[in-house]
Amino acid sequence: MIVGFAPEGGRLRPVGDSLGDLERLVWIDLLNPTADEEKTLEAQLGVDVPTREEMQRLEVSGRLYKEDNALVMTAILPARGDSDDLLMAPVTFVLVGGKLVTVRYHEPRVFKTFPQRAAESNVGCASGETVFVALLEATIDRITDILERAEEEVDAISHDIFRSDPPKSASRDLMSTLQLIGRKGDLCSNIQVAVLSLQRVTGFFGQELADRADGKDLRRRVKTLDHYLQSLSGHASFASQKVGFLLEATLGMINVEQSNIIKIFSIAAGVFLPPTLIASIYGMNFSFMPELRWHYGYLLAGLLMLASALLPLWYFRRRGWL
């Protein structure tokens, strides 16, 4: 599917027949394009549009390059940002002839929200480069929202882990918390991948702008984006460290709870060992055992076993082991 956008008073308006009115367009968005659509667009723009296989096969060093008069930049962007299961896939940005061409095979939300905002307000999208920078700004804002949501959820997990009134089924809660922390760790890692990918894109594009006499405003905006991405990278690293701390704390609490269970069995064995010893003594089949003929021998043996069980129990409580 190909959707084209043309400038109109600083706003972006979608064009019905995108390929039929290519001269007016400043942004051409390709979502799951067919081979025929790619060939048609390549013939009209004179640039090689990367296929899905080429985008996935590209190494890090091959995601940013200049081809004749076109800049080709590929970034890894997230989709399904409202869940922990982010869909990370490449998106290619091609700047050629004053136009921006985006090629993607998944649907990050920014590609829905940005055209709506650009159609309602003046975002200064008069050329492909200005659309590209504005789209990067909207993408970074979206990633920031995802990271802030993740951090809020991590704070809620931290509150649940360290609350002062843990439930009786703490073991089951800790196991589910462990799985939740693992998902948050994956989320933070994916955000870091997206941020690092965008840093490479802004650095490459900023270097291209530095070689031009014009574009002072674009250079300033790209430089601001680069600084913001650096701070966002630090924020994502802090969130990842906090997730790592919670992971270690949860594992430690699980170990403590398992140790407490083992301690209960050990104390129970220590409490019942003396009565078992007494019962074993009087269970021996010797012909000469004076206590067997005592009138109160059974009662005495019972009281002795009870006292031998209560005495270790009292000692354990006094030492604070119970």
Side-chain angles (χ1 to χ4, degrees):
M1 182 177 66
I2 299 179
V3 180
F5 298 89
E8 184 180 312
R11 295 177 172 85
L12 286 180
R13 301 296 183 187
V15 177
D17 186 10
S18 300
L19 297 180
D21 196 8
L22 194 61
E23 294 298 326
R24 293 178 51 222
L25 304 182
V26 293
W27 179 20
I28 306 169
D29 182 33
L30 282 71
L31 174 60
N32 297 316
T34 64
D36 292 337
E37 290 175 338
E38 289 184 355
K39 291 179 180 179
T40 302
L41 191 61
E42 288 175 350
Q44 295 190 32
L45 294 179
V47 63
D48 184 21
V49 177
T51 63
R52 183 173 193 168
E53 291 74 17
E54 291 173 342
M55 293 168 60
Q56 294 176 342
R57 192 170 57 242
L58 285 176
E59 298 179 355
V60 176
S61 59
R63 292 175 182 169
L64 310 169
Y65 61 91
K66 190 172 184 178
E67 180 182 337
D68 297 331
N69 61 338
L71 293 179
V72 182
M73 297 161 284
T74 301
I76 307 298
L77 300 184
R80 299 200 299 250
D82 293 333
S83 66
D84 293 337
D85 186 20
L86 294 183
L87 175 61
M88 304 296 294
V91 176
T92 297
F93 304 90
V94 182
L95 288 172
V96 56
K99 305 179 187 302
L100 170 66
V101 180
T102 54
V103 186
R104 56 193 176 93
Y105 293 88
H106 68 317
E107 300 188 49
R109 177 175 290 186
V110 67
F111 284 87
K112 293 181 179 180
T113 58
F114 175 72
Q116 296 173 355
R117 183 167 63 87
E120 296 172 355
S121 59
N122 187 347
V123 292
C125 295
S127 66
E129 292 180 343
T130 54
V131 174
F132 174 58
V133 174
L135 185 58
L136 286 182
E137 293 172 343
T139 301
I140 293 172
D141 289 340
R142 175 58 181 163
I143 293 176
T144 304
D145 292 338
I146 297 174
L147 181 59
E148 289 178 350
R149 175 184 64 83
E151 191 172 22
E152 290 177 358
E153 293 174 352
V154 169
D155 289 338
I157 295 173
S158 177
H159 176 72
D160 290 338
I161 291 175
F162 298 109
R163 56 186 170 183
S164 58
D165 53 341
K168 295 181 179 179
S169 58
S171 179
R172 184 179 303 174
D173 289 346
L174 287 176
M175 293 301 295
S176 61
T177 300
L178 195 62
Q179 296 174 346
L180 184 58
I181 291 175
R183 293 197 297 268
K184 298 306 175 185
D186 290 339
L187 177 62
C188 292
S189 297
N190 287 330
I191 291 176
Q192 285 182 310
V193 169
V195 170
L196 291 175
S197 179
L198 288 172
Q199 280 183 310
R200 297 188 187 99
V201 169
T202 56
F204 179 79
F205 185 58
Q207 184 63 37
E208 291 294 327
L209 292 176
D211 298 334
R212 291 167 34 181
D214 58 343
K216 182 178 179 180
D217 180 64
L218 282 179
R219 285 197 299 270
R220 179 183 56 80
R221 292 173 65 183
V222 170
K223 188 175 181 180
T224 301
L225 285 178
D226 189 59
H227 290 319
Y228 190 79
L229 283 171
Q230 290 179 8
S231 63
L232 191 60
S233 178
H235 190 180
S237 298
F238 172 75
S240 296
Q241 292 174 1
K242 189 169 185 179
V243 169
F245 166 73
L246 292 179
L247 179 62
E248 293 179 357
T250 304
L251 290 174
M253 288 186 172
I254 291 176
N255 291 332
V256 169
E257 187 168 352
Q258 291 176 344
S259 299
N260 288 334
I261 294 174
I262 299 300
K263 185 180 71 173
I264 291 174
F265 281 105
S266 300
I267 292 175
V271 168
F272 289 103
L273 182 60
T276 303
L277 177 62
I278 296 173
S280 300
I281 292 174
Y282 288 106
M284 294 186 293
N285 296 320
F286 289 109
S287 59
F288 181 73
M289 294 185 69
E291 296 88 346
L292 295 178
R293 303 180 186 278
W294 291 358
H295 183 73
Y296 297 103
Y298 176 77
L299 180 60
L300 180 63
L303 292 175
L304 186 60
M305 287 188 289
L306 181 62
S308 64
L310 294 177
L311 185 62
L313 190 62
W314 169 80
Y315 179 76
F316 292 154
R317 285 185 178 277
R318 184 175 182 183
R319 294 296 299 271
W321 296 350
L322 287 177

